[in-house]
């Protein structure tokens, strides 16, 4: 399937030129795509052009919303999208006072194998293209934006997949997302989460991309990290923090470390103290969240007391941190859980070829 949303305005112009179209047509078409319209809904385009594009296998967007679930607790919305090849991915829209944050997926499944994460249970199915990642923002924005209502103002690459394992498509997505003629989401409002692929973190900084970088650390000791994140066998904790420091120096943006508290695994006083030693002098921030229980994984979240104790040690040692509340817990808000449930319930057979 050929997706028009994969193309920048410039590339769209080049394509339309091949169809003998005047140059203003590209902006018209681009506007329709960004507004979430499919080719048949673009009423002011010449019918002949629409027919020809379709005949040649072009589509505007890469997915449709198949289902959505709204949390009764906090208004968080979970979306299940269906891609053109039948694969299913998911996303979450979180509503805050300052705006609406959409969490997007970057791959179908994931190859990283983190022991606590539902997204990786079936391995990596395939990378998403830049347009497929962008389409998630476009369709949710189109649903939510309108008179007196805000669309998507912030984007976090924290859904299924490892963004830096799909580097070229993800960086192209970052370009398209902040295009002033397109969705125009401010670069300041974009966060990218990685399990710590060090060379790619450095490359991202060197190439001048500057999303807020969120690094899933989850343990300050290599021995513990290796038991929960296979990637820790490739990069040591020191290397990961070193790459994060490099990113900060190059981009000027404070790095955030994610720390999911797992009962009896990484929530002890020794971990808290080692984390303080590790981050001493590095102006970063630690986000502590309780692990969301994933049935297939058997690992449990830490209790309030352990979390509180952990946070206090960080506070007392001058390590900036906050305990994040988990949103949408009544709608399987955590990574990959909804897609997994959906596929397993047998309502839907994943296209895995
Ligand atoms: N691959 C990227 C982004 C996707 S996961 C990464 O590893 O950062 C987004 C965040 O959710 C990561 O910090 C990940 O470690 C965390 N996560 C995954 N499963 C979780 C669970 N069951 N409970 C809490 N956090 C989880």
């Amino acid at each position: 399937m050929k997706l028009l949303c994969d193309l920048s305005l410039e590339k769209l112009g080049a394509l339309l030129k091949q169809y003998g179209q005047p140059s203003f047509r590209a902006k018209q078409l681009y506007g329709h795509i960004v507004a979430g319209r499919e080719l048949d809904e673009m009423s002011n385009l010449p019918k002949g052009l629409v027919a020809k594009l379709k005949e040649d296998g072009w589509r505007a967007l890469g997915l449709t919303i198949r289902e959505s679930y709204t949390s009764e607790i906090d208004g968080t919305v979970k979306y299940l999208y269906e891609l053109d090849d039948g694969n299913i991915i998911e996303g979450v829209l979180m509503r805050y006072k300052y705006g609406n944050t959409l969490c997007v997926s970057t791959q179908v499944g994931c190859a990283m194998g983190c022991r606590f994460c539902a997204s990786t249970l079936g391995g990596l199915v395939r990378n998403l293209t830049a347009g497929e990642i962008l389409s998630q923002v476009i369709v949710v924005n189109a649903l939510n934006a309108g008179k007196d209502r805000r669309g998507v103002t912030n984007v976090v690459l924290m859904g299924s997949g490892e963004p830096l394992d799909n580097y070229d498509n993800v960086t192209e997505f970052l370009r398209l997302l902040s295009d002033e003629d397109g969705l125009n989401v401010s670069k300041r409002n974009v966060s990218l989460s990685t399990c710590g692929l060090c060379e790619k973190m450095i490359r991202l900084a060197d190439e001048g991309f500057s999303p807020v970088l969120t690094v899933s650390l989850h343990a300050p000791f290599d021995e513990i990290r290796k038991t929960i994140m296979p990637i820790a066998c490739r990069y040591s904790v020191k290397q990961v923090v070193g790459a994060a420091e490099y990113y900060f120096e190059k981009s000027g943006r404070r790095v955030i470390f994610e720390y999911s508290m797992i009962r009896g695994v990484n929530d002890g006083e020794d971990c808290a103290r080692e984390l303080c030693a590790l981050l001493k002098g590095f102006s970063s921030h630690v986000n502590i969240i309780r692990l969301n229980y994933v049935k297939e994984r058997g690992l449990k979240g830490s209790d309030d007391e352990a979390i509180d104790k952990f946070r206090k040690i960080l506070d007392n040692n001058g390590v900036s941190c906050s305990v994040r509340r988990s949103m949408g817990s009544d709608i399987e808000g955590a990574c990959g859980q909804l897609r997994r449930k959906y596929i397993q319930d047998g309502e839907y057979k994943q296209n895995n070829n």
Side-chain angles (χ1 to χ4, degrees):
M1 184 59 72
K2 296 190 281 189
L3 301 177
L4 294 169
C5 59
D6 270 323
L7 307 179
S8 62
L9 180 55
E10 199 187 338
K11 285 186 185 151
L12 215 50
L15 176 76
L16 288 185
K17 209 166 168 194
Q18 293 170 18
Y19 285 83
Q21 293 294 318
S23 54
F24 70 86
R25 202 65 87 197
K27 241 184 172 160
Q28 227 176 11
L29 180 55
Y30 197 60
H32 282 304
I33 298 166
V34 170
R37 295 185 197 107
E38 256 315 323
L39 279 166
D40 284 329
E41 300 165 301
M42 302 180 183
S43 50
N44 61 354
L45 291 189
K47 288 211 165 48
L49 172 64
V50 169
K52 194 82 187 72
L53 284 169
K54 282 168 63 179
E55 197 183 303
D56 291 346
W58 287 101
R59 264 174 65 89
L61 302 166
L63 46 79
T64 51
I65 294 176
R66 180 150 178 144
E67 281 181 26
S68 64
Y69 306 81
T70 304
S71 163
E72 287 174 13
I73 302 170
D74 52 32
T76 297
V77 190
K78 187 107 197 189
Y79 294 101
L80 271 183
Y81 313 94
E82 182 171 347
L83 300 167
D84 280 341
D85 64 0
N87 272 304
I88 294 284
I89 52 168
E90 60 185 279
V92 193
L93 182 73
M94 291 155 286
R95 299 174 198 279
Y96 297 102
K97 283 195 200 77
Y98 59 77
N100 295 326
T101 299
L102 184 69
C103 175
V104 298
S105 293
T106 54
Q107 297 178 315
V108 183
C110 182
M112 297 298 120
C114 297
R115 304 265 181 268
F116 45 80
C117 181
S119 300
T120 196
L121 281 162
L124 175 67
V125 179
R126 70 169 175 89
N127 282 330
L128 295 182
T129 69
E132 286 173 321
I133 308 171
L134 191 73
S135 292
Q136 300 168 49
V137 189
I138 291 176
V139 296
V140 172
N141 184 63
L143 265 186
N144 289 278
K147 212 162 154 266
D148 302 329
R149 287 190 308 158
R150 265 187 299 190
V152 176
T153 54
N154 298 59
V155 172
V156 296
L157 288 81
M158 286 188 191
S160 298
E162 167 50 47
L164 297 185
D165 187 36
N166 183 14
Y167 188 90
D168 292 342
N169 290 326
V170 162
T171 47
E172 179 60 14
F173 160 72
L174 293 177
R175 281 191 208 101
L176 293 171
L177 181 69
S178 60
D179 180 7
E180 286 174 16
D181 292 315
L183 280 169
N184 194 18
V185 172
S186 159
K187 286 181 182 160
R188 305 209 67 81
N189 294 354
V190 181
S191 301
L192 183 151
S193 184
T194 178
C195 63
L197 302 185
C198 295
E199 290 96 350
K200 299 283 176 56
M201 289 160 69
I202 289 165
R203 184 172 163 201
L204 197 66
D206 283 343
E207 293 182 350
F209 292 99
S210 53
V212 173
L213 189 68
T214 299
V215 181
S216 302
L217 194 62
H218 304 321
F221 294 109
D222 287 319
E223 305 80 75
I224 298 180
R225 200 164 185 262
K226 280 181 194 168
T227 66
I228 50 176
M229 302 175 74
I231 196 67
C233 298
R234 185 139 40 112
Y235 306 101
S236 69
V237 165
K238 287 241 152 55
Q239 281 176 296
V240 173
V241 174
E245 282 175 328
Y246 183 85
Y247 189 87
F248 172 66
E249 279 157 25
K250 274 262 165 171
S251 69
R253 308 203 71 172
R254 194 166 71 146
V255 173
I256 294 173
F257 291 101
E258 290 289 331
Y259 202 100
S260 299
M261 301 273 288
I262 312 173
R263 193 181 303 178
V265 174
N266 64 355
D267 60 353
E269 208 179 309
D270 53 337
C271 281
R273 297 208 179 281
E274 184 66 14
L275 186 59
C276 294
L278 189 67
L279 299 183
K280 196 165 185 268
F282 179 26
S283 91
S284 51
H285 184 82
V286 179
N287 265 342
I288 299 169
I289 61 161
R290 190 198 319 271
L291 184 86
N292 278 298
Y293 180 64
V294 180
K295 188 169 85 243
E296 296 88 340
R297 292 308 204 179
L299 298 167
K300 297 212 168 75
S302 306
D303 55 31
D304 287 344
E305 203 187 323
I307 293 179
D308 206 43
K309 204 167 161 192
F310 198 93
R311 181 184 57 79
K312 280 198 179 121
I313 295 175
L314 267 57
D315 276 346
N316 292 341
N317 284 278
V319 175
S320 161
C321 72
S322 43
V323 178
R324 302 286 296 236
R325 65 202 164 102
S326 126
M327 296 184 76
S329 51
D330 56 333
I331 51 164
E332 313 262 352
C335 311
Q337 294 186 4
L338 185 63
R339 165 176 174 264
R340 187 92 200 140
K341 186 159 177 272
Y342 196 66
I343 295 168
Q344 279 182 344
D345 285 353
E347 289 172 50
Y348 192 79
K349 283 275 159 287
Q350 186 183 8
N351 183 347
N352 216 343
N353 44 27

